[in-house]
Amino acid sequence: AVTQSAALPQVPLWIDGRPQPASAQRFGEVFDPARGAAIRLTPLCEAQDVERAVSAAVRAFPAWRDTPSLRRARILMRFRELLEADKENLARLVSEEHGKTLEDAMGSVTRGIEVVEFVLGIPHLLKGEFAENVGSGVDCVSLRQPLGVCAGITPFNFPVMVPMWMFPVAIACGNTFVLKPSEKVPSASLRMAELLNEAGLPPGVFNVLHGDRVVVDALLTHPLVKAVSFVGSTPVARHVYETGTRAGKRVQALGGAKNHAVVLTDADLDFTADALIGAAYGSAGERCMAISAVVAVGTAGDALVARLKSKAAAIRVGPGCAPGVGMGPVISAPHRAKVAGYVAQGVKEGAELVLDGRGLSVPGGEQGFFLGPTLFDRVRPEMAIYRDEIFGPVLVVLRAATLAEAIALVNANPYGNGTAIFTRDGGTARRFQNEVEVGMVGINVPIPVPMAFFSFGGWKASLFGDLHVHGPDGVRFYTRGKVVTTRWPEVASTAPGLNMPTLG
Ligand code: NAD
């Protein structure tokens, strides 16, 4: 955290339908990672800002809850149109603060918009069940009702898409929302707040706070926050889950990942190598669904590594906004140093460094946080470059003798976000999808991110909680069930019933 500098603009909060200054005395610097230059300041809010935002959301809840779901959907329909018109602007904000290429950022904005499209059907999604005559003259209906104020805490790597996994669903269900985006990429959230406002969302239904652990902990323990959705690294996800559930809230906390691609000898190796290059180095490897470990089965290894090496070396690295660039910088100077440290450790631990991105120089981007694509072969499970989530452009290749060995390796890993298998054999793929202990599986699909009408989530240390985000699980997470049993007696009962009612 830094103290205020007059030279840099401050990103405001969004409370009660308008931008507001924070009472913060501490600030985080937002960088343009391609230039390595601080471009604006994020206020690091204190508990009193949390109080203001939560109070606004509490005040807005009763009217929003009682707004017919079709009317809520119509506001989100206008929001969808505004997002579509503003797509490039939003993608530019993402690319500027995160560093990813503009095209990649556009893709992520599109995946966010798809969640809004999913919840346009909210009147249908909220319909309950009805059963007539469950007992003599007794009917039963099940309802799903909103929770109240929900909070979302999001990571730096998807400033539009990940918040949109959460708030469109929460709001469509009739909740109000407080978003705390990553302090490294604060601007896109403000733009989304403006667009929601323009779409006609009542003040207080959607609010944005900025900050670090102080804000997160205040949200996690605030008695009027009913549910928390978190996406970020595993240690913080665990902290959020434990703290939030201890405070009586429902929590879904999505964590980090180490996603494996298992490549069989019968796979089309050119197709597979292209798929793996995009999945490993797209967005500089800073995706929770990035493939960061390849398990080459049988004899697939040598031919695959040769292809990966030449394709990775051909990736053009540069500023995300420049045409023809395939990979931008990583998020910060400390993160680049951390990733480079892993590369050094991999060499020290005896892995074969096939391609070293550390020496890369980008003309004009000397101050940028660039690191070239890096490839290791003959990596063993005990090495740090395999054990840890590196979250950078580093791909490691391990060798396995059999499919069973490859599946055992994937299943022994503490993470379970995504995985993919590359093969031409249906039986092999079917066995893999059945046995692998991972939440999202691709068969010849390297980044199997489910569409908005399915739910997204990993297993094991990649998700704490029961329900995944968006899709049907999202609607379940942001609502609670109620069952109403009704009788309209024609004659009053003649005696009190003291036994367990059986409706017979
Ligand atoms: P992070 O855990 O550092 O931060 C995530 C959020 O938590 C931010 O809003 C941050 O301000 C807040 N935070 C940070 N430290 C905190 C603390 N000690 N207490 C309370 N709050 C804290 O993650 P990041 O670096 O922004 O994002 C990268 C990580 O997110 C990677 O591990 C990646 O795998 C993961 N991720 C996971 C998914 C998924 O779907 N599972 C998706 C995207 C990113």
Side-chain angles (χ1 to χ4, degrees), residues 94-386:
V94 170
S95 172
E96 182 187 30
E97 293 184 351
H98 174 280
K100 65 178 78 179
T101 67
L102 192 58
E103 273 187 331
D104 188 29
M106 289 280 273
S108 72
V109 174
T110 299
R111 295 303 297 258
I113 292 174
E114 287 165 4
V115 180
V116 181
E117 290 168 343
F118 165 68
V119 298
L120 296 183
I122 199 67
H124 182 70
L125 292 165
L126 287 179
K127 281 197 300 199
E129 294 168 314
F130 176 81
E132 193 182 37
N133 229 26
V134 296
S136 302
V138 176
D139 301 333
C140 206
V141 61
S142 69
L143 317 171
R144 296 209 70 89
Q145 297 189 328
L147 309 170
V149 179
C150 301
I153 299 151
T154 52
F156 78 80
N157 64 332
F158 285 106
V160 169
M161 183 183 83
V162 169
M164 288 222 273
W165 284 354
M166 304 172 182
F167 73 78
V169 187
I171 287 174
C173 289
N175 302 283
T176 56
F177 203 85
V178 178
L179 173 66
K180 206 298 287 175
S182 165
E183 64 277 29
K184 298 182 180 114
V185 293
S187 299
S189 293
L190 261 289
R191 184 65 191 138
M192 291 190 285
E194 288 170 355
L195 297 178
L196 281 166
N197 193 49
E198 211 180 316
L201 194 75
V205 175
F206 179 74
N207 307 277
V208 181
L209 285 174
H210 300 297
D212 54 14
R213 182 175 185 153
V214 174
V215 177
V216 172
D217 286 350
L219 285 167
L220 288 174
T221 52
H222 197 295
L224 296 177
V225 172
K226 302 297 181 196
V228 177
S229 301
F230 171 90
V231 176
S233 59
T234 288
V236 183
R238 189 178 277 120
H239 164 73
V240 166
Y241 187 73
E242 289 175 357
T243 313
T245 51
R246 203 178 304 123
K249 304 179 194 321
R250 61 172 69 179
V251 181
Q252 50 179 189
L254 282 68
K258 195 82 184 178
N259 304 312
H260 300 69
V262 173
V263 182
L264 277 296
T265 42
D266 68 351
D268 176 331
L269 288 187
D270 287 314
F271 168 83
T272 303
D274 279 335
L276 294 179
I277 289 292
Y281 301 114
S283 204
E286 292 172 328
R287 291 181 184 140
C288 64
M289 288 291 276
I291 291 291
S292 50
V294 172
V295 187
V297 178
T299 55
D302 291 348
L304 181 65
V305 169
R307 284 170 173 79
L308 289 174
K309 182 184 180 182
S310 66
K311 288 175 194 287
I315 294 173
R316 230 183 104 199
V317 182
C321 58
V325 163
M327 194 180 102
V330 298
I331 186 71
S332 67
H335 189 56
R336 185 181 56 178
K338 185 176 163 194
V339 177
Y342 272 113
V343 179
Q345 200 172 346
V347 174
K348 210 166 110 199
E349 290 184 337
E352 192 181 303
L353 183 56
V354 177
L355 187 67
D356 184 355
R358 287 174 297 177
L360 177 89
S361 109
V362 172
E366 287 75 14
Q367 305 304 314
F369 310 138
F370 291 102
L371 197 66
T374 298
L375 180 64
F376 277 106
D377 192 10
R378 302 199 176 276
V379 171
R380 291 189 310 277
E382 66 275 14
M383 294 176 179
I385 51 171
Y386 173 73

